C-alpha cells in the first residue's frame, strides 16, 4: 500500500515537471514569435524608408546638384545683332558676384571668366564659325556646382557679300520711246536685300528681282546694291541713255 502510494506520488511529481516544461516551452515560443513579429514589422518600415535613410547618410549627388542648381540662377547674355561680318565678337552679360562663367560655342566650351563685384562678365575676341553660331553660358560656384544654362543666343557670321547680276538693261543701252519707264531685272542671293538708286526692290524666293525705273532725258546712272543681314554689300553700276519720242 505504501509502495502504491509512493508510486502515485512519484508519478504526480513527474507530471508536474512535465506541465511546467510545457509552460516554459510555450512561453519561449511566444517570446520568439513576438520578437519575430516585431522584427518583421519594423523591418518593413525600415525597408519602405530605405531610400530616404540612404539619402540621409549617403546623399545622392545628382539630387544635391539639382537642388544647388536651383540656388544659382542662370547667367544672362546681353543681346547683340543676329548677324555680323566680323569674325571676332565680344560677349557680355551678368551673373552673381564672383562666380566662374563658362562660355559655350556650339555646345563646346570656349573659355571662362570670373564675374566682377557687379556680377558682370566679358569674353573678348570670341572667334565665330562661318554660318550659324549658338552661344550660351553657365555659372559655377566655388564648390564646383553649376547653374542651369543661360538662354541660347544665335548669331550668323557672314563673311562673303551676296552676288548680284543685272540681266537687263545692259550698260550704255539706249532707249528712244514715248514712255520714260524701263524695267530693271536681275538676280542675287534669295536672302539679300536689293536697293536700286536707294529704293528697295522685291526679291523672290529664287533670288530674282525686278523694278520699274523712271528715266530722264540723256544719261541715267543706275546703282544696284545687294546687301545681306550682316551688312556685306555688293554694288553694280550701269548707265543708260534715254531720249523721249513724241
Amino acid at each position: 500500500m505504501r509502495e502504491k502510494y509512493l508510486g502515485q506520488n512519484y508519478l504526480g511529481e513527474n507530471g508536474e515537471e512535465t506541465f511546467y516544461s510545457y509552460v516554459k516551452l510555450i512561453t519561449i515560443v511566444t517570446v520568439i514569435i513576438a520578437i519575430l513579429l516585431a522584427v518583421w514589422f519594423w523591418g518593413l518600415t525600415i525597408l519602405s524608408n530605405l531610400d530616404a535613410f540612404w539619402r540621409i547618410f549617403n546623399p545622392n549627388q545628382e539630387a544635391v546638384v539639382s537642388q544647388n542648381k536651383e540656388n544659382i540662377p542662370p547667367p544672362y547674355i546681353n543681346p547683340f545683332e543676329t548677324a555680323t561680318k566680323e569674325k571676332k565678337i565680344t560677349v557680355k552679360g551678368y551673373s552673381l558676384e564672383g562666380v566662374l562663367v563658362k562660355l559655350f560655342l556650339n555646345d563646346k566650351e570656349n573659355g571662362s571668366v570670373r564675374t566682377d563685384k557687379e556680377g558682370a562678365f566679358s569674353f573678348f575676341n570670341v572667334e565665330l564659325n562661318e554660318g550659324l553660331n549658338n552661344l550660351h553660358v553657365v555659372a559655377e560656384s566655388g564648390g564646383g556646382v553649376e547653374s542651369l544654362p543661360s538662354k541660347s543666343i544665335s548669331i550668323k557670321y557672314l563673311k562673303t557679300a551676296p552676288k548680284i547680276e543685272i540681266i537687263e538693261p545692259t550698260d550704255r543701252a539706249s532707249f528712244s520711246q514715248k514712255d520714260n519707264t524701263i524695267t530693271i531685272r536681275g538676280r542675287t542671293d534669295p536672302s539679300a536685300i536689293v536697293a536700286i538708286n536707294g529704293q528697295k526692290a522685291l526679291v523672290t524666293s529664287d533670288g530674282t528681282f525686278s523694278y520699274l525705273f523712271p528715266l530722264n532725258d540723256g544719261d541715267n546712272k543706275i546703282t544696284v546694291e545687294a546687301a545681306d543681314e550682316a551688312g556685306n554689300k555688293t554694288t553694280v553700276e550701269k548707265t543708260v541713255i534715254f531720249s523721249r519720242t513724241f
Side-chain angles (χ1 to χ4, degrees):
M1 194 69 180
R2 177 181 174 82
E3 291 178 357
K4 183 177 182 181
Y5 172 79
L6 290 174
Q8 288 178 346
N9 185 48
Y10 174 77
L11 290 174
E13 290 178 356
N14 188 39
E16 186 177 354
E17 289 178 1
T18 303
F19 172 75
Y20 282 118
S21 297
Y22 283 139
V23 171
K24 290 180 181 179
L25 179 61
I26 292 172
T27 302
I28 293 172
V29 171
T30 302
V31 171
I32 292 174
I33 292 174
I35 293 172
L36 291 175
L37 287 174
V39 171
W40 177 77
F41 175 78
W42 289 107
L44 288 179
T45 304
I46 293 172
L47 288 174
S48 64
N49 293 280
L50 182 60
D51 184 63
F53 181 83
W54 176 257
R55 288 174 184 271
I56 292 174
F57 294 97
N58 297 280
N60 182 276
Q61 184 176 1
E62 183 178 353
V64 172
V65 169
S66 177
Q67 182 180 5
N68 289 334
K69 282 185 176 182
E70 294 178 0
N71 296 330
I72 305 176
Y76 177 80
I77 299 177
N78 294 339
F80 43 72
E81 298 294 330
T82 57
T84 181
K85 58 183 178 181
E86 305 296 332
K87 185 171 180 60
K88 295 181 179 182
I89 64 170
T90 298
V91 179
K92 295 184 177 183
Y94 59 85
S95 182
L96 298 178
E97 176 188 351
V99 298
L100 186 69
V101 177
K102 298 179 181 180
L103 173 67
F104 291 83
L105 174 62
N106 295 331
D107 294 325
K108 293 182 179 180
E109 187 172 345
N110 187 269
S112 61
V113 295
R114 196 166 293 278
T115 57
D116 60 21
K117 293 181 179 179
E118 285 73 38
F121 63 83
S122 298
F123 291 91
F124 299 100
N125 298 318
V126 178
E127 191 167 319
L128 301 176
N129 301 314
E130 187 173 3
L132 184 64
N133 295 265
N134 295 309
L135 301 108
H136 73 270
V137 289
V138 172
E140 182 180 295
S141 70
V145 178
E146 292 186 345
S147 71
L148 294 172
S150 68
K151 181 180 178 181
S152 181
I153 301 293
S154 297
I155 182 171
K156 293 179 183 177
Y157 168 46
L158 305 175
K159 68 177 184 179
T160 305
K163 298 178 181 179
I164 187 169
E165 175 190 3
I166 305 301
I167 299 173
E168 61 177 355
T170 59
D171 191 35
R172 305 300 301 178
S174 295
F175 296 89
S176 180
Q177 57 192 40
K178 185 176 181 179
D179 185 5
N180 71 331
T181 302
I182 63 172
T183 300
I184 299 174
R185 292 186 175 88
R187 184 180 296 108
T188 185
D189 297 343
S191 60
I193 300 171
V194 172
I196 299 175
N197 283 19
Q199 300 299 312
K200 188 176 180 180
L202 179 64
V203 180
T204 63
S205 58
D206 62 356
T208 58
F209 62 88
S210 62
Y211 183 79
L212 292 176
F213 187 80
L215 299 173
N216 298 314
D217 289 337
D219 290 355
N220 292 264
K221 185 178 180 180
I222 302 173
T223 302
V224 183
E225 181 182 87
D228 61 24
E229 56 185 315
N232 297 302
K233 297 179 180 179
T234 301
T235 302
V236 175
E237 293 184 347
K238 291 184 180 293
T239 300
V240 298
I241 304 164
F242 174 70
S243 61
R244 187 186 299 273
T245 60
F246 297 95

